[in-house]
Short mmCIF file of all heavy atoms in Angstrom, two decimals:
data_model
loop_
_atom_site.label_atom_id
_atom_site.label_comp_id
_atom_site.label_asym_id
_atom_site.label_seq_id
_atom_site.Cartn_x
_atom_site.Cartn_y
_atom_site.Cartn_z
N ALA A 296 2.42 -0.52 -11.51
CA ALA A 296 1.73 0.30 -12.42
C ALA A 296 2.69 1.43 -12.84
O ALA A 296 3.65 1.71 -12.20
CB ALA A 296 0.50 0.95 -11.66
N GLY A 297 2.42 1.98 -14.02
CA GLY A 297 3.26 3.08 -14.49
C GLY A 297 2.74 4.47 -14.05
O GLY A 297 1.46 4.71 -14.09
N LEU A 298 3.64 5.30 -13.55
CA LEU A 298 3.20 6.69 -13.20
C LEU A 298 3.99 7.62 -14.26
O LEU A 298 5.15 7.57 -14.39
CB LEU A 298 3.74 7.00 -11.90
CG LEU A 298 3.03 6.36 -10.54
CD1 LEU A 298 3.44 7.01 -9.34
CD2 LEU A 298 1.43 6.51 -10.67
N TYR A 299 3.17 8.47 -14.86
CA TYR A 299 3.71 9.39 -15.89
C TYR A 299 3.28 10.80 -15.69
O TYR A 299 2.15 10.99 -15.28
CB TYR A 299 3.17 8.97 -17.35
CG TYR A 299 3.75 7.65 -17.81
CD1 TYR A 299 3.05 6.46 -17.44
CD2 TYR A 299 4.95 7.55 -18.49
CE1 TYR A 299 3.61 5.21 -17.88
CE2 TYR A 299 5.43 6.27 -18.95
CZ TYR A 299 4.69 5.21 -18.56
OH TYR A 299 5.19 3.97 -19.01
N PRO A 300 4.15 11.71 -15.77
CA PRO A 300 3.82 13.11 -15.65
C PRO A 300 2.79 13.55 -16.58
O PRO A 300 2.85 13.14 -17.79
CB PRO A 300 5.12 13.96 -15.70
CG PRO A 300 5.97 13.06 -16.38
CD PRO A 300 5.54 11.59 -16.16
N GLY A 305 7.57 17.47 -16.84
CA GLY A 305 7.56 17.26 -15.35
C GLY A 305 8.33 16.00 -14.88
O GLY A 305 8.06 15.60 -13.77
N TYR A 306 9.01 15.35 -15.83
CA TYR A 306 9.69 14.08 -15.54
C TYR A 306 10.64 14.21 -14.29
O TYR A 306 10.51 13.37 -13.36
CB TYR A 306 10.44 13.57 -16.77
CG TYR A 306 11.17 12.27 -16.49
CD1 TYR A 306 10.58 11.06 -16.39
CD2 TYR A 306 12.56 12.33 -16.44
CE1 TYR A 306 11.25 9.92 -16.19
CE2 TYR A 306 13.28 11.02 -16.20
CZ TYR A 306 12.59 9.95 -16.09
OH TYR A 306 13.24 8.69 -15.89
N GLU A 307 11.57 15.15 -14.23
CA GLU A 307 12.51 15.33 -13.32
C GLU A 307 11.88 15.68 -11.91
O GLU A 307 12.30 15.29 -10.79
CB GLU A 307 13.63 16.40 -13.62
CG GLU A 307 14.66 15.90 -14.56
CD GLU A 307 15.36 14.56 -14.14
OE1 GLU A 307 15.56 14.46 -12.87
OE2 GLU A 307 15.62 13.72 -14.92
N ASP A 308 10.84 16.55 -12.11
CA ASP A 308 10.11 16.95 -10.80
C ASP A 308 9.43 15.63 -10.21
O ASP A 308 9.43 15.47 -8.94
CB ASP A 308 8.96 17.90 -11.07
CG ASP A 308 9.49 19.32 -11.50
OD1 ASP A 308 10.74 19.42 -11.28
OD2 ASP A 308 8.74 20.01 -12.14
N LEU A 309 8.87 14.70 -11.01
CA LEU A 309 8.35 13.53 -10.58
C LEU A 309 9.38 12.66 -9.86
O LEU A 309 9.08 12.04 -8.78
CB LEU A 309 7.57 12.81 -11.67
CG LEU A 309 6.93 11.50 -11.37
CD1 LEU A 309 5.77 11.73 -10.29
CD2 LEU A 309 6.24 10.87 -12.59
N ARG A 310 10.56 12.48 -10.50
CA ARG A 310 11.59 11.63 -9.89
C ARG A 310 11.89 12.15 -8.54
O ARG A 310 12.09 11.36 -7.57
CB ARG A 310 12.82 11.67 -10.81
CG ARG A 310 13.99 10.90 -10.20
CD ARG A 310 15.25 11.26 -10.92
NE ARG A 310 15.44 10.82 -12.34
CZ ARG A 310 15.77 9.52 -12.52
NH1 ARG A 310 16.06 8.75 -11.63
NH2 ARG A 310 15.87 9.15 -13.85
N ALA A 311 12.15 13.52 -8.42
CA ALA A 311 12.49 14.14 -7.09
C ALA A 311 11.45 13.87 -6.09
O ALA A 311 11.66 13.47 -4.95
CB ALA A 311 12.68 15.56 -7.24
N LEU A 313 9.14 11.37 -6.04
CA LEU A 313 9.15 9.92 -5.70
C LEU A 313 10.22 9.61 -4.66
O LEU A 313 10.09 8.81 -3.83
CB LEU A 313 9.26 9.09 -6.97
CG LEU A 313 7.97 8.94 -7.82
CD1 LEU A 313 8.26 8.26 -9.11
CD2 LEU A 313 6.93 8.08 -6.93
N THR A 324 8.70 1.10 -4.45
CA THR A 324 9.74 1.06 -5.28
C THR A 324 9.48 1.52 -6.71
O THR A 324 8.35 1.50 -7.13
CB THR A 324 10.13 -0.58 -5.44
OG1 THR A 324 9.00 -1.21 -6.01
CG2 THR A 324 10.40 -1.16 -4.17
N PHE A 325 10.49 1.94 -7.36
CA PHE A 325 10.32 2.51 -8.75
C PHE A 325 11.56 2.48 -9.55
O PHE A 325 12.68 2.55 -9.06
CB PHE A 325 9.70 3.99 -8.66
CG PHE A 325 10.67 5.03 -8.02
CD1 PHE A 325 11.55 5.73 -8.85
CD2 PHE A 325 10.71 5.27 -6.68
CE1 PHE A 325 12.42 6.72 -8.36
CE2 PHE A 325 11.61 6.14 -6.11
CZ PHE A 325 12.45 6.92 -6.94
N GLU A 326 11.25 2.41 -10.89
CA GLU A 326 12.40 2.49 -11.84
C GLU A 326 11.94 3.18 -13.16
O GLU A 326 10.68 3.11 -13.43
CB GLU A 326 12.82 0.99 -12.16
CG GLU A 326 11.77 0.16 -12.68
CD GLU A 326 12.24 -1.29 -12.81
OE1 GLU A 326 12.90 -1.75 -11.93
OE2 GLU A 326 11.99 -1.91 -13.79
N PRO A 327 12.77 3.87 -13.91
CA PRO A 327 12.36 4.58 -15.04
C PRO A 327 11.93 3.67 -16.16
O PRO A 327 12.29 2.52 -16.26
CB PRO A 327 13.63 5.24 -15.51
CG PRO A 327 14.62 5.21 -14.41
CD PRO A 327 14.27 3.97 -13.60
N GLU A 328 11.01 4.02 -16.91
CA GLU A 328 10.48 3.33 -18.14
C GLU A 328 9.87 4.34 -19.08
O GLU A 328 9.51 5.54 -18.73
CB GLU A 328 9.44 2.23 -17.83
CG GLU A 328 8.05 2.71 -17.35
CD GLU A 328 7.07 1.59 -17.53
OE1 GLU A 328 7.34 0.48 -17.87
OE2 GLU A 328 5.82 2.02 -17.30
N SER A 329 9.66 3.95 -20.28
CA SER A 329 9.04 4.85 -21.34
C SER A 329 7.92 4.19 -22.03
O SER A 329 7.85 2.99 -22.11
CB SER A 329 10.09 5.33 -22.34
OG SER A 329 10.60 4.27 -22.99
N GLY A 334 5.09 8.87 -23.17
CA GLY A 334 6.42 9.52 -22.92
C GLY A 334 7.22 8.84 -21.75
O GLY A 334 7.05 7.60 -21.51
N PHE A 335 8.02 9.64 -21.04
CA PHE A 335 8.93 9.12 -19.98
C PHE A 335 8.17 9.06 -18.69
O PHE A 335 7.54 10.11 -18.32
CB PHE A 335 10.18 9.94 -19.92
CG PHE A 335 11.09 9.64 -21.07
CD1 PHE A 335 11.18 10.52 -22.09
CD2 PHE A 335 11.93 8.46 -21.08
CE1 PHE A 335 12.01 10.35 -23.27
CE2 PHE A 335 12.66 8.22 -22.21
CZ PHE A 335 12.81 9.19 -23.19
N GLY A 336 8.33 8.08 -17.95
CA GLY A 336 7.73 8.04 -16.56
C GLY A 336 8.38 6.88 -15.75
O GLY A 336 9.60 6.58 -16.06
N PHE A 337 7.76 6.42 -14.77
CA PHE A 337 8.35 5.42 -13.82
C PHE A 337 7.47 4.17 -13.76
O PHE A 337 6.19 4.40 -13.62
CB PHE A 337 8.52 6.04 -12.51
CG PHE A 337 9.60 7.13 -12.50
CD1 PHE A 337 9.21 8.41 -12.64
CD2 PHE A 337 10.94 6.88 -12.33
CE1 PHE A 337 10.16 9.49 -12.72
CE2 PHE A 337 11.86 7.85 -12.41
CZ PHE A 337 11.51 9.11 -12.60
N ARG A 338 8.05 3.02 -13.47
CA ARG A 338 7.41 1.81 -13.21
C ARG A 338 7.39 1.69 -11.77
O ARG A 338 8.45 1.52 -11.21
CB ARG A 338 8.05 0.70 -13.91
CG ARG A 338 7.36 -0.57 -13.63
CD ARG A 338 7.01 -1.33 -14.94
NE ARG A 338 5.92 -2.22 -14.64
CZ ARG A 338 4.70 -1.99 -14.90
NH1 ARG A 338 4.24 -0.83 -15.37
NH2 ARG A 338 3.76 -2.93 -14.55
N CYS A 339 6.29 1.76 -11.09
CA CYS A 339 6.33 1.74 -9.56
C CYS A 339 5.76 0.40 -8.99
O CYS A 339 4.77 -0.13 -9.57
CB CYS A 339 5.51 2.86 -9.00
SG CYS A 339 6.12 4.54 -9.56
N GLY A 340 6.26 -0.07 -7.93
CA GLY A 340 5.78 -1.23 -7.26
C GLY A 340 5.08 -0.79 -5.98
O GLY A 340 5.65 -0.10 -5.25
N ILE A 363 -0.48 10.45 -14.44
CA ILE A 363 -1.37 9.63 -15.22
C ILE A 363 -0.97 8.14 -14.73
O ILE A 363 0.40 7.94 -14.71
CB ILE A 363 -1.20 9.70 -16.62
CG1 ILE A 363 -1.62 11.04 -17.14
CG2 ILE A 363 -1.99 8.57 -17.39
CD1 ILE A 363 -1.51 11.34 -18.61
N THR A 365 -1.11 4.08 -15.28
CA THR A 365 -1.56 2.95 -16.26
C THR A 365 -2.25 1.88 -15.40
O THR A 365 -2.29 1.83 -14.27
CB THR A 365 -0.33 2.48 -16.98
OG1 THR A 365 0.44 1.78 -15.94
CG2 THR A 365 0.42 3.48 -17.72
#
Side-chain angles (χ1 to χ4, degrees):
L298 291 185
Y299 293 86
Y306 176 73
E307 282 305 323
D308 294 344
L309 180 59
R310 178 197 289 276
L313 280 170
T324 57
F325 64 92
E326 57 188 44
E328 73 162 2
S329 62
F335 289 100
F337 294 93
R338 177 123 205 103
C339 300
I363 293 173
T365 62

